[in-house]
Amino acid sequence: MILNLCIGTIVISLTVLIHTFGLIAITRMMAHLVPLLRMHGRRSRIIAMISVVMGLFAVMTAEVWLWAGLYRLLGILSDFETALYFSTITFSTVGYGDVVPAHGWRILAALEGTTAFC
């Protein structure tokens, strides 16, 4: 359990860093796009919102891939596709239950679910 918590703390920290720098990048991108596209009307605001949402989706995708890579690196799941699937359903807190980690890694998987709220 201690190993789960230590590894989880490190990966949560990396997830927070990805999220922080991703949000900074999105903010800077929007600061450049607004004057470039003269975003002041209703349509422009819709384009801006879609851009922000797509940027956030890209940031969260990177976070999911980080966790999937960890599961594969530690040999918790048999292949990367399964690890990516498991990470996606865990990160999104859907948790279908059709893929589960070994008993000794349950806490680590649970920690990924908590990062979705950060």
Side-chain angles (χ1 to χ4, degrees), residues 4-50:
N4 278 249
L5 294 173
C6 290
I7 292 171
T9 300
I10 292 167
V11 182
I12 287 171
S13 298
L14 291 172
T15 302
V16 169
L17 284 174
I18 290 170
H19 209 82
T20 300
F21 287 108
L23 292 176
I24 290 169
I26 292 167
T27 303
R28 287 185 177 171
M29 177 191 70
M30 290 310 299
H32 292 294
L33 278 178
V34 167
L36 180 69
L37 299 176
R38 296 183 188 109
M39 293 186 179
H40 300 294
R42 183 173 179 242
R43 287 185 187 148
S44 297
R45 283 180 280 192
I46 292 171
I47 292 169
M49 187 57 69
I50 290 170

Side-chain angles (χ1 to χ4, degrees), residues 56-68:
L56 288 171
F57 184 74
V59 169
M60 288 188 287
T61 298
E63 296 166 0
V64 166
W65 279 64
L66 170 69
W67 284 90

